[in-house]
Amino acid sequence: MPGQLVAETGRLRLLAMSDACDEDAEMMLRLLNDPAFIRNIADRGVRTLEEARDYLRNGALRSYAEHGFAMYAVQLKATGERIGNCGLVRREGLEGPDLGYALLPGFCGHGYAKEAAQAVLADARDRLGLDQMLAIVNPDNAPSIGLLQKLGFAFERMIALPHVDRAVKLFRYPALSVEAQP
């Protein structure tokens, strides 16, 4: 699966990442050390290219093998540049996969995260047969909360997860109407 095209949009390609791909490892190293990533997601302690390759091996590559999904590299079709990642994560403490996304500085605010997330949701429905997904977000991350709402996610509750140092907002897709909630 590494290197495989997972989805394509008007401006983007979503590619399965590989520890053998220099572009993937370099992008992950930059992304994991971006102050916004550290503030809104976590400091993963990845500081070298080899640690980024290990991070891919222990994260995305393992998840591809175990679940058939993971985070994917987001690539601009026009230039081939990798600008971040987007995909599904199977996280301890959640009943199902959750949508994740992060873009490198300079690529936020252009609609790329929404475009990539819509492609991931379509792939999850069409290829994986998933009809529901979750998302977690730092309660202070207003842009990410706004994006989840635009995608059709609805806030469900605050939740504490193992290995996450603060309570996060849990969102569910598709948003359930008030009448449909138990």
Side-chain angles (χ1 to χ4, degrees):
M1 181 163 197
Q4 176 183 340
L5 177 67
V6 175
E8 194 166 8
T9 71
R11 301 182 295 168
L12 306 172
R13 287 188 193 93
L14 276 68
L15 305 167
M17 291 189 281
S18 169
D19 60 330
C21 176
D22 290 339
E23 291 90 353
D24 289 341
E26 290 165 3
M27 182 271 298
M28 286 306 301
L29 181 61
R30 288 177 53 210
L31 189 64
L32 293 168
N33 287 285
D34 174 47
F37 185 96
I38 292 170
R39 180 178 62 256
N40 290 309
I41 300 172
D43 184 350
R44 303 291 190 214
V46 174
R47 302 294 184 258
T48 68
L49 203 52
E50 191 51 41
E51 288 172 342
R53 291 182 197 287
D54 287 342
Y55 185 84
L56 286 169
R57 281 184 212 108
N58 295 321
L61 296 178
R62 179 175 287 156
S63 185
Y64 297 147
E66 291 177 7
H67 306 296
F69 58 79
M71 296 299 284
Y72 309 113
V74 177
Q75 180 189 55
L76 291 177
K77 286 170 76 171
T79 65
E81 182 178 7
R82 283 164 171 72
I83 64 168
N85 65 16
C86 186
L88 298 175
V89 177
R90 191 66 183 99
R91 197 179 307 273
E92 184 182 350
L94 292 179
E95 74 224 37
D98 73 287
L99 174 71
Y101 45 84
L103 297 179
L104 291 167
F107 297 101
C108 299
H110 301 284
Y112 295 130
K114 182 179 179 189
E115 195 172 323
Q118 287 172 324
V120 167
L121 293 174
D123 178 64
R125 182 189 62 239
D126 300 343
R127 181 176 63 89
L128 301 170
L130 299 174
D131 58 357
Q132 250 188 60
M133 267 148 291
L134 304 171
I136 59 169
V137 63
N138 173 346
D140 299 330
N141 190 346
S144 191
I145 291 168
L147 175 56
L148 290 174
Q149 292 169 332
K150 286 178 189 172
L151 292 168
F153 282 78
F155 174 71
E156 191 167 280
R157 69 184 187 277
M158 293 297 293
I159 186 171
L161 293 173
H163 316 295
V164 178
D165 63 357
R166 62 183 162 233
V168 293
K169 287 188 168 194
L170 175 67
F171 285 77
R172 184 174 300 273
Y173 175 89
L176 299 174
S177 69
V178 174
E179 298 80 42
Q181 291 181 349

